[in-house]
């Protein structure tokens, strides 16, 4: 293992500097260095820290090795100073050694560098040890105090009985006691009451047995702040081995203690994060496998068993509901991934918040009635004022998550929701009379992987991502989200979005349900899909409206068919396919057929995918799994009987 060494390099040539560093590393050193070129830079480097070694070029445009050596010696520094030159003669080398240089080397003979460094560092260590030994032996109180006055650590001395007779200014600075207050046993007044008794006892034992002492304790300042310190006391003996007193140091380790505490918290947070991730993975595995079990199990029963029409319909409904639930979980996982990667974007457009509340009520009223829960909503704006600019998908998703959770965690009572106008914001609320949330969980529930229940005995399902997604969506919309709740007293979730009123545009009213007879039955259709099962499903759904249905398995094949057949009315274009993807296929088809209706159908469901499809030349966009009613509603925008 290489030995670390701090080196101040004075050199104007980058190449020569790199040669010096290379030689140091070859010699077994790991240099931590700064390279300076001027007197100002050198002084700043010397002021910045203590250096173990200085290597200086002899001649530079703005500085010289002799000038650098003089600065070091003027500071009474004992740092080994090695002069390196490409031109220095013997006379100048002798002068450099007389003025205090440790050694000199020729740049063409750097092989001497490492032996010189080894020797000088060894000599420097001996010199340091010798100075420490001399200082310890000196009996001159005046000279001792001169040294301690400038020491960066607190220093104290005692007599043989352990009674304090001197403290330096740094000790007073750390403890906030004056010199006079610290004498004798007065220093104990600065020690934290919880540490005082034990520290006093240990100090008494050390003086009783003539032994060194080391302790970690706290000083309490007059303003109530605390300073952690390490105190070391070493016994002092005369020439005959008789104890004459103690000399000790007090080092402030408050910052180190803070770092240790922060590391402990960070470790605990990391362990908690790992625990939450494990619980989340276990939960998400359960949430995925549960509907998947129903899908696989009932599909096999339908395939292998003769069933009555009523039983068949019941099983098909179970499969459909399980598929919807599974799709919801997958959507949550995909969205949290896009949020984490920073890919989630806002798609602002005009929307009616009153209509949105009405839609939410219609969506959940049946479930609320089944659970015998009262569902209601309140709006604060009239119809002329209810239009604002926002992302309707994300706003809908937030309300959907909050209302769904409210119903999930409410056994009986009520769920209400709505909004108020507060300044330039719309403040939405979802309130319930459910089980409530403990105060310590109010912040945690908005973090990913975090749930109030995270054990195997959970009563309520869910991926644990809904509130994390809601928080991200609200923040993307420019607002914030929070909760007020107590265990057993229900919950009230709030979130805000900016209120940006717009001109009134009456929305087109489209019935939720239509008959398939509203569509023509003579369409020429091309289905572009590489998954056989999806192709069969789409063929069945479109059978009643398609006079002719053709098929392509990739983009290249689709473009070729369209060149031969310019009379298609409708193309259902998958986006992700081999050979050529759907985007590129649409662009090619639009070069020679600008009129055919092209609807993108894709398993991608990320923010911005609709815009990509429209930009490529599609008329519309529909996501997988494709609901036949949704597909028919989409087709009605372009075809009518």
């Amino acid at each position: 293992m290489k030995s670390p060494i701090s080196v101040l390099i004075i050199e104007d040539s980058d190449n020569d500097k790199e040669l010096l560093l290379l030689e140091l590393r070859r010699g077994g050193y790991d240099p931590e260095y700064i390279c300076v070129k001027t007197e100002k830079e050198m002084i700043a480097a010397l002021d910045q820290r203590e250096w173990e070694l200085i290597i200086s070029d002899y001649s530079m445009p703005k500085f010289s090795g002799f000038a650098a050596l003089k600065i070091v010696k003027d500071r009474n520094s004992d740092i080994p100073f090695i002069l390196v030159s490409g031109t220095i003669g013997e006379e100048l080398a002798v002068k450099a050694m007389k003025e205090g240089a440790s050694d000199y080397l020729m740049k063409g003979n750097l092989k001497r560098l490492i032996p010189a460094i080894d020797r000088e560092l060894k000599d420097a260590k001996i010199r340091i040890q010798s100075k420490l030994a001399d200082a310890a032996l000196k009996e001159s109180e005046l000279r001792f105090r001169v040294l301690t006055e400038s020491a960066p650590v607190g220093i104290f001395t005692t007599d043989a009985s352990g009674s304090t007779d001197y403290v330096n200014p740094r000790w007073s600075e750390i403890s906030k006691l004056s010199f006079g207050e610290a004498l004798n046993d007065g220093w104990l007044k600065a020690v934290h009451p919880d540490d005082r008794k034990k520290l006093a006892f240990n100090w008494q034992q050390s003086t009783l047995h003539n032994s060194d002492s080391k302790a970690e304790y706290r000083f309490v300042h007059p303003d109530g702040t605390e300073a952690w310190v390490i105190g070391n006391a070493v016994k002092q003996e005369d020439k005959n081995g008789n104890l004459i007193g103690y000399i000790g140091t007090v080092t402030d380790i408050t910052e180190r203690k803070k770092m240790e505490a922060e590391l402990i918290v960070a470790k605990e947070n990391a362990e908690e994060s790992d625990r939450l991730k494990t619980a989340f993975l276990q939960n998400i595995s359960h949430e995925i496998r549960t509907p998947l079990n129903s899908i696989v199990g009932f599909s096999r029963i339908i395939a292998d068993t003769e069933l009555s029409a009523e039983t068949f319909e019941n099983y098909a409904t179970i499969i459909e509901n399980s598929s919807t639930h599974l799709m919801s979980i997958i959507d949550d996982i995909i969205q949290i991934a896009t949020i984490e990667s920073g890919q989630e974007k806002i798609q602002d457009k005009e929307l009616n918040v009153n209509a949105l509340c009405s839609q939410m009520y219609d969506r959940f009223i049946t479930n609320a009635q089944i659970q015998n829960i009262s569902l209601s909503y309140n709006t604060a704006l009239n119809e002329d004022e209810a239009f604002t600019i926002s992302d309707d998908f994300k706003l809908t998703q937030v309300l959907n998550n909050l209302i769904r959770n409210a119903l999930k965690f409410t056994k009986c009572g009520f769920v209400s929701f709505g909004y108020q106008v507060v300044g330039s914001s719309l403040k939405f609320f979802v309130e319930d009379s459910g089980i409530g949330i403990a105060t310590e969980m109010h912040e945690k529930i908005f973090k990913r992987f975090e749930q109030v229940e995270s054990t195997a005995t959970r009563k309520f399902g869910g991926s644990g991502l809904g509130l994390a997604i809601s928080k991200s969506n609200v923040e993307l919309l420019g607002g914030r989200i929070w909760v007020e709740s107590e265990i057993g007293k229900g919950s009230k979730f709030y979130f805000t979005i900016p209120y940006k009123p717009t001109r009134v545009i009456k929305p087109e009213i489209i019935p939720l349900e239509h008959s398939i007879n509203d569509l023509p039955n003579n369409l020429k259709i091309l289905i572009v899909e590489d998954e056989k099962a999806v192709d069969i499903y789409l063929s069945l759904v479109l059978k009643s409206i398609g006079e002719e249905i053709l098929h392509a398995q990739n983009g290249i094949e689709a473009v070729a068919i369209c060149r031969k057949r310019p009379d298609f009315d409708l193309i259902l274009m998958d986006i992700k396919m081999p050979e050529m993807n759907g985007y590129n296929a649409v662009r090619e088809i639009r070069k020679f057929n600008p009129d055919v209706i092209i609807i993108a159908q894709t398993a991608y469901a990320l923010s911005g995918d609709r815009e990509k499809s429209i930009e490529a030349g599609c008329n519309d966009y529909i996501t997988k799994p494709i609901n036949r009613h949704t597909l028919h509603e989409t087709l009605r925008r372009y075809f009518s009987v």
Side-chain angles (χ1 to χ4, degrees):
M1 181 180 294
K2 294 186 177 182
S3 301
I5 185 172
S6 59
V7 185
L8 177 59
I9 299 175
I10 306 170
E11 176 61 72
D12 65 325
S13 168
D14 289 339
N15 289 337
D16 289 347
K17 175 198 71 176
E18 292 300 325
L19 287 173
L20 290 171
L21 292 172
L22 179 61
E23 196 65 28
L24 283 167
R25 293 180 181 120
R26 285 176 176 172
Y29 288 100
D30 181 13
E32 178 186 355
Y33 72 93
I34 290 179
C35 184
V36 299
K37 301 178 182 180
T38 66
E39 178 180 349
K40 183 177 180 181
E41 290 176 348
M42 177 186 175
I43 292 172
L46 290 173
D47 291 338
Q48 178 180 338
R49 62 169 296 173
E50 294 291 332
W51 299 95
E52 296 175 83
L53 177 67
I54 297 177
I55 303 177
S56 176
D57 189 9
Y58 164 67
S59 177
M60 292 168 284
K62 298 181 180 180
F63 203 24
S64 73
F66 279 152
L69 178 60
K70 185 176 185 304
I71 291 172
V72 173
K73 293 306 173 184
D74 286 346
R75 288 175 171 241
N76 295 317
S77 175
D78 200 29
I79 306 172
F81 190 102
I82 297 178
L83 200 62
V84 180
S85 174
T87 59
I88 192 170
E90 183 177 347
E91 182 178 342
L92 287 176
V94 171
K95 180 182 178 183
M97 297 295 287
K98 286 182 177 180
E99 293 190 7
S102 304
D103 207 337
Y104 74 94
L105 303 172
M106 299 297 292
K107 289 186 177 181
N109 187 24
L110 289 180
K111 292 182 179 180
R112 290 187 55 237
L113 179 62
I114 298 305
I117 291 174
D118 291 343
R119 181 189 66 249
E120 291 304 321
L121 290 179
K122 182 178 179 181
D123 290 347
K125 185 176 181 181
I126 293 172
R127 288 195 299 272
I128 291 172
Q129 292 174 342
S130 177
K131 285 183 178 180
L132 290 175
D134 290 343
L137 293 173
K138 287 179 180 178
E139 298 178 353
S140 171
E141 183 178 346
L142 176 62
R143 295 197 62 184
F144 170 78
R145 291 186 179 181
V146 168
L147 291 174
T148 59
E149 294 289 324
S150 59
V153 297
I155 296 176
F156 64 90
T157 62
T158 77
D159 60 21
S161 66
S163 179
T164 301
D165 53 24
Y166 171 78
V167 294
N168 73 339
R170 178 58 180 155
W171 191 98
S172 294
E173 181 183 346
I174 296 172
S175 69
K176 306 304 182 189
L177 286 183
S178 67
F179 178 89
E181 292 171 326
L183 296 180
N184 301 316
D185 293 333
W187 61 275
L188 275 170
K189 291 183 294 185
V191 177
H192 193 288
D194 293 346
D195 301 340
R196 191 176 299 161
K197 186 175 181 180
K198 181 178 179 181
L199 181 63
F201 176 78
N202 289 342
W203 179 237
Q204 291 170 0
Q205 292 299 307
S206 296
T207 56
L208 181 64
H209 296 93
N210 294 346
S211 61
D212 295 343
S213 173
K214 182 175 183 180
E216 187 174 300
Y217 53 96
R218 290 166 292 175
F219 283 137
V220 180
H221 300 154
D223 62 0
T225 59
E226 298 178 3
W228 276 96
V229 298
I230 289 181
N232 290 279
V234 180
K235 62 182 180 179
Q236 301 295 296
E237 298 175 342
D238 61 18
K239 295 179 180 180
N240 300 318
N242 298 315
L243 179 68
I244 58 175
Y246 289 85
I247 181 172
T249 62
V250 170
T251 305
D252 190 336
I253 59 168
T254 304
E255 290 303 317
R256 193 191 80 184
K257 280 290 186 178
K258 289 180 180 178
M259 291 179 61
E260 289 175 354
E262 290 170 358
L263 286 173
I264 290 172
V265 172
K267 178 176 179 292
E268 291 174 349
N269 289 340
E271 291 173 348
E272 176 68 2
S273 178
D274 287 342
R275 184 191 67 79
L276 291 174
K277 288 179 181 179
T278 299
F280 169 76
L281 291 174
Q282 292 171 342
N283 177 50
I284 209 69
S285 175
H286 168 79
E287 291 295 321
I288 290 174
R289 288 175 182 272
T290 298
L292 194 59
N293 182 69
S294 296
I295 295 168
V296 174
F298 283 101
S299 297
R300 179 54 57 193
I301 291 174
I302 288 175
D304 295 344
T305 310
E306 292 185 7
L307 303 171
S308 66
E310 181 180 359
T311 302
F312 182 90
E313 182 64 25
N314 289 337
Y315 290 174
T317 300
I318 292 173
I319 293 173
E320 184 175 4
N321 291 339
S322 297
S323 299
T324 301
H325 178 53
L326 182 59
M327 197 66 224
S328 173
I329 295 170
I330 293 172
D331 286 343
D332 282 352
I333 295 172
I334 292 174
Q335 188 169 6
I336 203 70
T338 61
I339 290 170
E340 290 293 317
S341 62
Q343 297 179 16
E344 197 74 9
K345 306 298 181 183
I346 290 295
Q347 304 294 333
D348 278 338
K349 69 177 185 179
E350 191 174 54
L351 61 91
N352 184 325
V353 289
N354 287 355
L356 176 59
C357 289
S358 178
Q359 292 168 13
M360 290 294 101
Y361 179 84
D362 291 340
R363 178 176 298 178
F364 289 104
I365 184 60
T366 301
N367 287 342
Q369 290 172 344
I370 292 173
Q371 295 177 237
N372 196 27
I373 293 173
S374 171
L375 179 67
S376 62
Y377 70 95
N378 297 293
T379 58
L381 296 170
N382 60 44
E383 286 302 309
D384 292 341
E385 301 171 321
F387 290 88
T388 186
I389 297 296
S390 192
D391 187 317
D392 63 337
F393 174 80
K394 287 182 171 54
L395 182 55
T396 300
Q397 190 178 32
V398 174
L399 277 173
N400 185 80
N401 281 338
L402 295 180
I403 297 171
R404 184 177 58 191
N405 279 352
L407 290 171
K408 182 194 299 185
F409 295 106
T410 302
K411 294 182 179 180
C412 62
F414 72 91
V415 171
S416 65
F417 65 95
Y419 68 89
Q420 298 172 331
V421 180
V422 180
S424 59
S425 298
L426 296 177
K427 181 181 177 182
F428 287 84
F429 70 90
V430 177
E431 184 178 9
D432 65 67
S433 58
I435 62 176
I437 303 169
T439 303
E440 64 269 17
M441 295 299 296
H442 286 187
E443 294 293 332
K444 292 183 178 181
I445 57 174
F446 293 106
K447 298 178 181 179
R448 68 188 192 282
F449 310 139
E450 188 80 60
Q451 288 180 290
V452 175
E453 290 189 306
S454 59
T455 66
T457 60
R458 295 170 67 249
K459 298 178 181 178
F460 306 97
S463 65
L465 298 175
L467 288 178
I469 292 172
S470 297
K471 182 176 185 293
S472 296
N473 281 344
V474 169
E475 290 174 350
L476 284 171
L477 293 173
R480 68 185 187 94
I481 187 170
W482 69 99
V483 63
E484 296 176 358
S485 181
E486 293 182 39
I487 292 292
K489 295 185 179 181
S491 302
K492 195 167 187 178
F493 283 82
Y494 297 94
F495 70 91
T496 61
I497 65 168
Y499 176 39
K500 303 174 184 177
T502 68
R503 63 184 179 87
V504 177
I505 300 178
K506 293 184 179 180
E508 179 185 0
I509 299 176
I510 301 176
L512 292 178
E513 295 292 338
H514 292 276
S515 169
I516 193 66
N517 295 328
D518 292 344
L519 293 170
N521 60 6
N522 61 346
L523 298 180
K524 294 180 176 63
I525 302 171
L526 174 62
I527 299 174
V528 187
E529 174 60 63
D530 64 323
E531 291 288 341
K532 189 64 176 176
V534 178
D535 183 65
I536 293 172
Y537 170 72
L538 291 174
S539 299
L540 291 172
V541 172
L542 299 172
K543 181 178 180 181
S544 60
I545 64 174
E547 178 182 288
E548 183 180 8
I549 300 177
L550 298 184
H551 308 270
Q553 295 184 357
N554 58 65
I556 294 175
E557 187 177 341
V559 173
I561 292 174
C562 288
R563 287 187 187 278
K564 295 178 182 179
R565 292 287 305 272
D567 58 338
F568 283 117
D569 300 297
L570 171 66
I571 300 174
L572 284 179
M573 179 68 71
D574 188 23
I575 295 301
K576 185 179 180 182
M577 296 181 296
E579 306 295 338
M580 178 188 288
N581 66 40
Y583 293 136
N584 292 334
V586 171
R587 293 188 182 99
E588 290 298 317
I589 293 171
R590 286 304 186 204
K591 291 178 181 178
F592 56 83
N593 191 339
D595 300 322
V596 62
I597 300 300
I598 304 177
I599 296 177
Q601 48 102 6
T602 175
Y604 293 145
L606 304 181
S607 175
D609 286 335
R610 174 184 291 276
E611 288 68 26
K612 291 180 184 177
S613 301
I614 302 303
E615 182 183 357
C618 296
N619 299 89
D620 218 319
Y621 166 98
I622 189 169
T623 60
K624 296 177 181 178
I626 297 172
N627 181 284
R628 64 182 185 277
H629 298 299
T630 304
L631 177 57
H632 290 156
E633 289 295 332
T634 303
L635 295 179
R636 283 189 188 89
R637 300 172 191 163
Y638 307 100
F639 304 102
S640 60
V641 177

